Amino acid sequence: MKQILILCFFFLLSQNSSFAQNVVFSAQASATTIGIEDRVQVDFTLENIEGIQGIQNPNFPGFKVLGGPYESRSSNLYLNGNQPVRSTSLTLSYVLQATQIGDITIPPLSAKDGNGKVYQSNALKIKVVKGSLAQQRRQQQQSADPFAGFDPFDDPFFGGNGGGGDPFAAMRQQMQQLQQQMQQQMQQSMGPAQNLPQVTEKELGKNVFIKVSVDKTKVHIGEQITATYKMYARVNMQAQLSKLPSLNGFWTQDFELPKDQKPQYETLDGVQYQSFTLKKSALFPQQTGTLILDAAEANGVAQIADRSNPYGKNVQFKLKSAPVNITVTPLPIKDQPTDFSGAVGSNFMVKTKIDKTSLSTDDAATLTIDISGVGNIKLIGAPKLNLPNGLDAFDPVITDTITGRSTTISGHKIFSFAISPSIAGDYEIPAIPFSYYDPAKGSYTTLYTTALKLHVTQGTKVKKEIAGNKLLSDLNNIDTKPLLLQPSNGTLLYSKAYWSIYALTFIALLLFAWRKKQKESEANNQGLFKNKYANKIALKRLKTAKTFLDKKETIPFYEEISKAIWLYLSDKLNIPLSQLSKETALESLRSKQITEAQLSKMYLIIEDCAMALYAPSGAAQQMNSTYNDTVQLIGELEENLKK
Amino acid sequence: MKQLLLFLSFLLLSITSMAEQNKMPQLWKKANDYYLQKQYDSAISYYHSLLQQNPANPSLYYNLGNAYYRKNMVTEAVINYERALFFNPQYKEAQENNLLAKSRIPNAIKPIKDIFFVRWWQTLTSGHWANTWAVLGILLFLALASLIFYGILKNRLRQIAPQVFVLLPIIILIALFIAYKAAYNKNNCHLAVVNSKNAVLNNVKSTSVPEATTVLVTKREGNGFLVTLPDNRTGWMRQSDLTFVQISTKK
């Protein structure tokens, strides 16, 4: 189908041919007897109706439409005697399913052509029976063929139609019908053969063939070759191109063929043929080595003489052109200009244009380089601009136009560069060289454009390339200081030493606090101990004092009394004896809220002791009262200091 | 005896490594000379061989970026500038050249400036400051420790304002948190550079991303990366379209 479509486009050139053609408008069904569960395909084929204006929408009484219309067009060209004849065909396909049992008639369809003439198709009769015929057929097939049940193309559109398990049967059938029709038409139009060439089937190859001719087979890369695909024939035949050459490795530009192409008469090796140009192209090889112009292929039917049939007989044939080898050599490297960008051809011209010569840094100018000439226009690479610093060019926009395609390919290639200045100033864009290789001369030619001047003023907009307050115009230079071996300095946070400082400090602090606490509590304990036993020691001393009192020994008595008091105070107040004096003791006692009366009593006792020790007067009465007072005082103090 | 052997082997090791290092200044000079003579291809190959022994040197990446820029290989230049900046975020020349290289990207995506405090945060947590924060943290901690030490020693702990014992630890924790972030940034780089002309950002619809754009990668799933463009658009990109600034995942 694709090939037919290609053909259709290919032969559109000759669409104005106005030869009389047989008009056909037919309706066909894929089966004439179907089951009610089966699907049937109905095709309406319109052939050779010029400029179809409208086709009536078909109605199918007794059927429901499952799919369609599917439209397919084809176009065909064949030689009828000496005339090329074009035929067109349009097929509308519907997939239907019956809704009732019995004989159903599909009414004829009408269509109107460009001249207002109305054509009508035939009516179709379809017999609908119970159940599914397709399934029955398939089951029969299945019993014979174990694989039939696994039909991979079991498609709803084709699964049920007359062809049984074969999904393409309908299509094939349709094609065959068309072919038969065409053959009939051919025979009718040709009438009895009068002068059929006396050729046999074996000699057909000499009488119909496709030939490729090229103007040269050895070229440089990029050099033009003109290739012509022609069909030669000495017999009545019709043919379709089934494969166009793909021409890999070439850039191809087709030449225009005359619209109304008449067959030419050409003599090859003394034999006259009709020739018909299928394709004429300019080829530009893009790679070196041996490139092959691959074959064009065609299928067709030829009419040759046959003794038993006055109309001759139709023989199918396949045509294939012989491939042609092209040797492509590289361009000479010697003297190749550095700016060469692949242009091969002749008569090249280069022009530059700039749309403005004065602009601001906010603006952009467009520099256009127009290369015109004859050759591989499409394959020319962009020329290099050597812009001064401060001007920037973006990738060019490239347009190429082919203006002439008679025997050579000529045209323009236009490169548009947008140039944006970044710094104000006066610039000169130097002349741009453009080189091409001229195969006729066998040498390179370099053309130069004229240099352009550009005046740039400072714009108002701040450019984004400003870093800090510095306008960046060019790179900062490289770092040439001696290379520091940077053992990628570690991350402190990830090092064990760092965290061990925290840990050690913390532990040290804890230890220190604990030690301090312990010391304190030790000292405290000692004080507490003394405090606790102060009373007992004092009482012990008082006991000894009592014995001295009984013996009336004055000095030892007072010694004991004063010792009892001082030691008691020292222990109770937690003041070492060396630091203890009347004043410190009084102060300390005051802070512990001892009443003044007690204090004065204590003061008196201490005075008495001192007096008695240093000036003994020795009254037993006084000793007695001192003793009593001391016992009372210690008792009272004990009471108060306990709190 | 054992110690002597150890010492000898250590000496041997240091001599060999020194011999290798001794070659480096020559290579470096050679590469730079090539660069100055505008033989950028040779310079690039020398820089690359230096990189094998010195994979974390910002100057090396910077010079390599310059060589690529001179060769008009903007994408390679940007990748190397980004690498230089990863190892030294304060590299002024690299920053400027990176900007210049990026200005050469056709149809470049205009970066959107972050809000001021986001920028502050980015500066504070830049890998450059990682060790500074760590040192600050430890100094504050030592200060606190010595204060406590003094207080205990002199029995004056009660006399120090209690706010100090609340505020100082909070400040220390903040400093350590920033130090942690910065250390992470120092060792990890989630930037990648688009290396393909046909790179596409897939979001609700696909948009093309110009070559040499620097993107931030936030997530990986199979061969896809969730990235943020300079204009804060997000979407998925293919792994093959990205070159990561960080060469190996972990140093």
Side-chain angles (χ1 to χ4, degrees):
Chain A
M1 222 55 193
K2 214 171 183 180
Q3 287 162 357
I4 295 173
L5 272 179
I6 290 171
L7 197 79
C8 161
F9 290 123
F10 186 68
F11 285 111
L12 269 181
L13 307 168
S14 54
Q15 73 186 46
N16 290 347
S17 59
S18 53
F19 304 103
Q21 289 152 16
N22 285 15
V23 169
V24 175
F25 189 6
S26 67
Q28 284 128 25
S30 58
T32 50
T33 308
I34 59 164
I36 196 161
E37 290 167 24
D38 294 335
R39 282 138 199 200
V40 63
Q41 185 179 340
V42 174
D43 299 321
F44 295 97
T45 309
L46 295 89
E47 276 174 34
N48 304 326
I49 298 177
E50 293 288 330
I52 298 163
Q53 286 283 319
I55 303 169
Q56 174 203 354
N57 265 337
N59 63 326
F60 303 103
F63 287 97
K64 60 180 176 195
V65 179
L66 296 177
Y70 305 110
E71 202 177 303
S72 94
R73 286 170 193 276
S74 71
S75 175
N76 197 357
L77 187 129
Y78 57 90
L79 289 175
N80 180 4
N82 301 337
Q83 303 291 336
V85 175
R86 195 178 70 103
S87 73
T88 58
S89 119
L90 168 70
T91 306
L92 293 170
S93 306
Y94 292 87
V95 178
L96 307 175
Q97 187 175 21
T99 54
Q100 63 191 67
I101 293 170
D103 286 326
I104 306 174
T105 309
I106 296 173
L109 197 63
S110 62
K112 217 192 246 176
D113 75 353
N115 300 327
K117 203 175 165 194
V118 177
Y119 299 89
Q120 213 166 40
S121 73
N122 52 312
L124 275 178
K125 248 188 201 165
I126 293 177
K127 193 178 173 187
V128 182
V129 297
K130 246 187 180 172
S132 167
L133 291 178
Q135 248 169 36
Q136 282 172 22
R137 257 177 238 148
R138 204 176 300 170
Q139 277 159 8
Q140 283 164 11
Q141 263 181 358
Q142 236 164 11
S143 57
D145 180 1
F147 295 109
F150 306 102
D151 190 349
F153 299 104
D154 201 359
D155 186 82
F157 290 144
F158 297 111
N161 60 34
D166 187 346
F168 296 113
M171 254 157 74
R172 223 178 279 149
Q173 202 176 337
Q174 182 196 342
M175 294 285 281
Q176 273 169 9
Q177 277 170 355
L178 274 175
Q179 237 164 21
Q180 276 165 14
Q181 270 175 2
M182 267 153 47
Q183 276 168 13
Q184 281 161 12
Q185 280 167 18
M186 201 170 76
Q187 281 175 0
Q188 280 161 12
S189 62
M190 277 191 259
Q194 299 297 328
N195 47 357
L196 285 178
Q198 300 296 315
V199 287
T200 60
E201 275 181 57
K202 278 178 190 164
E203 288 171 328
L204 197 61
K206 280 185 191 164
N207 291 289
V208 184
F209 54 88
I210 300 175
K211 193 168 180 265
V212 188
S213 54
V214 290
D215 58 346
K216 45 199 149 184
T217 55
K218 224 181 141 191
V219 288
H220 288 298
I221 193 164
E223 192 180 337
Q224 182 186 326
I225 309 162
T226 310
T228 316
Y229 284 78
K230 272 186 183 173
M231 187 182 276
Y232 292 86
R234 288 186 68 216
V235 288
N236 277 336
M237 58 100 195
Q238 51 170 319
Q240 301 180 0
L241 268 185
S242 59
K243 182 174 165 273
L244 284 172
S246 54
L247 302 172
N248 288 328
F250 295 96
W251 169 56
T252 330
Q253 195 71 48
D254 286 340
F255 289 116
E256 278 171 43
L257 294 173
K259 269 196 171 176
D260 266 325
Q261 207 189 147
K262 296 262 159 57
Q264 308 277 317
Y265 287 95
E266 260 183 66
T267 309
L268 286 178
D269 297 330
V271 185
Q272 201 183 45
Y273 292 91
Q274 284 179 36
S275 74
F276 194 83
T277 307
L278 301 174
K279 184 179 169 76
K280 190 175 178 192
S281 308
L283 308 177
F284 297 91
Q286 286 181 282
Q287 60 198 63
T288 56
T290 305
L291 297 179
I292 296 166
L293 297 184
D294 47 353
E297 289 174 26
N299 301 327
V301 179
Q303 198 178 28
I304 57 171
D306 188 29
R307 261 172 235 149
S308 60
N309 188 345
Y311 291 106
K313 97 179 155 178
N314 290 322
V315 179
Q316 296 207 3
F317 61 87
K318 273 188 181 167
L319 298 180
K320 199 172 172 184
S321 64
V324 176
N325 286 352
I326 306 279
T327 312
V328 185
T329 51
L331 294 172
I333 294 172
K334 203 185 149 218
D335 303 328
Q336 189 176 64
T338 47
D339 57 275
F340 180 69
S341 60
V344 177
S346 58
N347 297 331
F348 275 106
M349 300 240 285
V350 59
K351 270 186 259 170
T352 49
K353 213 174 75 187
I354 193 153
D355 62 342
K356 48 195 127 177
T357 52
S358 173
L359 71 166
S360 77
T361 52
D362 298 340
D363 215 348
T366 309
L367 175 68
T368 318
I369 302 175
D370 181 345
I371 296 168
S372 61
V374 176
N376 57 350
I377 299 288
K378 210 150 197 166
L379 304 179
I380 300 173
K384 227 181 184 165
L385 299 182
N386 286 313
L387 291 181
N389 281 338
L391 293 185
D392 277 316
F394 297 104
D395 284 346
V397 177
I398 303 166
T399 40
D400 35 33
T401 46
I402 305 297
T403 50
R405 46 176 96 194
S406 48
T407 54
T408 50
I409 298 296
S410 60
H412 289 264
K413 182 136 190 157
I414 298 164
F415 300 92
S416 303
F417 292 90
I419 291 180
S420 77
S422 54
I423 307 168
D426 280 302
Y427 296 97
E428 194 187 74
I429 300 172
I432 303 155
F434 167 73
S435 302
Y436 66 94
Y437 180 75
D438 192 334
K441 288 185 204 159
S443 65
Y444 290 98
T445 311
T446 304
L447 305 172
Y448 287 94
T449 65
T450 46
L452 294 168
K453 285 212 162 74
L454 204 58
H455 177 70
V456 179
T457 54
Q458 183 63 50
T460 50
K461 274 185 232 154
V462 180
K463 285 252 168 175
K464 62 186 170 189
E465 294 93 317
I466 290 174
N469 286 321
K470 202 166 130 195
L471 188 72
L472 295 178
S473 53
D474 198 21
L475 282 185
N476 292 312
N477 212 347
I478 52 165
D479 191 350
T480 49
K481 289 194 290 283
L483 195 62
L484 285 174
L485 246 192
Q486 283 193 330
S488 53
N489 72 8
T491 313
L492 223 49
L493 210 66
Y494 293 165
S495 70
K496 279 177 192 148
Y498 178 78
W499 289 108
S500 50
I501 292 177
Y502 280 94
L504 287 176
T505 314
F506 191 68
I507 290 167
L509 204 61
L510 275 183
L511 271 178
F512 177 73
W514 181 70
R515 186 99 189 86
K516 170 92 184 170
K517 192 108 190 165
Q518 212 177 26
K519 244 185 196 167
E520 241 169 36
S521 75
E522 227 168 65
N524 257 346
N525 278 349
Q526 224 170 15
L528 211 69
F529 182 81
K530 279 182 183 166
N531 192 331
K532 213 172 174 180
Y533 292 97
N535 197 21
K536 274 185 186 168
I537 294 166
L539 289 177
K540 226 179 191 174
R541 296 242 177 236
L542 286 177
K543 227 177 186 177
T544 346
K546 177 84 174 145
T547 53
F548 288 129
L549 176 70
D550 291 343
K551 287 179 198 162
K552 308 247 192 238
E553 288 176 56
T554 324
I555 291 170
F557 169 78
Y558 281 108
E559 262 178 9
E560 281 304 308
I561 291 287
S562 75
K563 264 185 194 166
I565 288 181
W566 284 120
L567 282 174
Y568 176 79
L569 285 175
S570 166
D571 287 354
K572 257 306 173 220
L573 299 176
N574 219 347
I575 303 171
L577 268 179
S578 56
Q579 286 171 23
L580 198 63
S581 67
K582 264 185 280 183
E583 287 74 31
T584 54
L586 282 174
E587 198 184 325
S588 177
L589 283 171
R590 264 196 203 107
S591 73
K592 289 190 173 171
Q593 289 163 349
I594 304 296
T595 55
E596 280 302 312
Q598 285 167 337
L599 286 180
S600 60
K601 195 188 258 176
M602 190 192 76
Y603 190 77
L604 270 176
I605 294 167
I606 293 169
E607 287 288 289
D608 279 352
C609 287
M611 286 276 280
L613 279 174
Y614 299 111
S617 59
Q621 197 68 43
Q622 205 183 345
M623 277 165 67
N624 240 338
S625 69
T626 306
Y627 175 75
N628 287 336
D629 282 350
T630 310
V631 173
Q632 202 189 345
L633 176 72
I634 287 181
E636 278 173 17
L637 281 179
E638 182 69 22
E639 197 106 311
N640 283 326
L641 288 176
K642 237 181 199 168
K643 288 171 198 165
Chain B
M1 191 60 199
K2 212 172 180 184
Q3 276 178 348
L4 190 74
L5 262 175
L6 211 76
F7 177 74
L8 276 178
S9 62
F10 178 76
L11 203 71
L12 203 74
L13 227 137
S14 55
I15 285 171
T16 47
S17 72
M18 257 163 72
E20 282 211 335
Q21 283 165 25
N22 276 342
K23 269 193 225 154
M24 296 232 283
Q26 290 169 13
L27 276 176
W28 176 242
K29 198 174 173 302
K30 222 171 190 176
N32 289 343
D33 286 347
Y34 273 124
Y35 179 92
L36 295 173
Q37 289 161 17
K38 303 195 173 178
Q39 298 189 23
Y40 301 121
D41 283 316
S42 312
I44 285 170
S45 75
Y46 274 106
Y47 286 136
H48 272 294
S49 64
L50 274 165
L51 271 180
Q52 293 189 340
Q53 305 192 11
N54 227 353
N57 193 304
S59 305
L60 207 40
Y61 286 110
Y62 168 72
N63 284 10
L64 183 58
N66 279 3
Y68 276 123
Y69 183 91
R70 290 286 184 220
K71 282 209 71 198
N72 212 9
M73 294 163 79
V74 174
T75 311
E76 306 294 325
V78 168
I79 289 170
N80 284 293
Y81 290 141
E82 294 284 0
R83 282 183 180 153
L85 287 170
F86 170 54
F87 291 114
N88 180 6
Q90 308 294 310
Y91 207 148
K92 196 109 201 129
E93 288 87 354
Q95 283 171 358
E96 289 174 4
N97 284 5
N98 196 16
L99 262 177
L100 184 67
K102 282 185 175 169
S103 72
R104 295 275 308 271
I105 305 171
N107 308 320
I109 296 174
K110 262 197 180 153
I112 289 180
K113 246 188 174 180
D114 290 314
I115 318 170
F116 62 97
F117 56 80
V118 178
R119 266 184 290 146
W120 287 354
W121 178 249
Q122 280 168 354
T123 319
L124 286 181
T125 56
S126 138
H128 186 66
W129 301 109
N131 288 351
T132 315
W133 283 110
V135 167
L136 184 72
I138 207 160
L139 284 180
L140 285 173
F141 178 79
L142 289 177
L144 180 67
S146 46
L147 198 66
I148 295 171
F149 191 80
Y150 173 80
I152 291 171
L153 188 72
K154 293 285 174 191
N155 257 336
R156 297 240 179 109
L157 216 50
R158 298 272 165 84
Q159 288 166 20
I160 301 167
Q163 289 93 322
V164 173
F165 297 107
V166 179
L167 278 178
L168 214 50
I170 289 177
I171 294 172
I172 291 169
L173 280 180
I174 290 173
L176 283 182
F177 177 70
I178 296 175
Y180 166 76
K181 282 275 170 199
Y184 182 79
N185 288 340
K186 183 178 177 172
N187 290 283
N188 298 277
C189 181
H190 299 295
L191 292 179
V193 177
V194 177
N195 61 17
S196 156
K197 277 197 170 60
N198 317 315
V200 166
L201 180 83
N202 291 309
N203 203 328
V204 183
K205 56 179 185 175
S206 297
T207 42
S208 71
V209 182
E211 198 179 346
T213 305
T214 306
V215 299
L216 180 72
V217 178
T218 48
K219 199 174 159 192
R220 174 187 188 147
E221 233 164 65
N223 281 334
F225 287 100
L226 186 63
V227 303
T228 308
L229 298 191
D231 59 357
N232 290 343
R233 273 183 295 159
T234 57
W236 291 89
M237 288 187 79
R238 267 179 308 163
Q239 183 177 21
S240 53
D241 290 340
L242 297 172
T243 302
F244 274 80
V245 169
Q246 194 171 18
I247 300 163
S248 58
T249 45
K250 210 103 227 172
K251 281 259 159 65

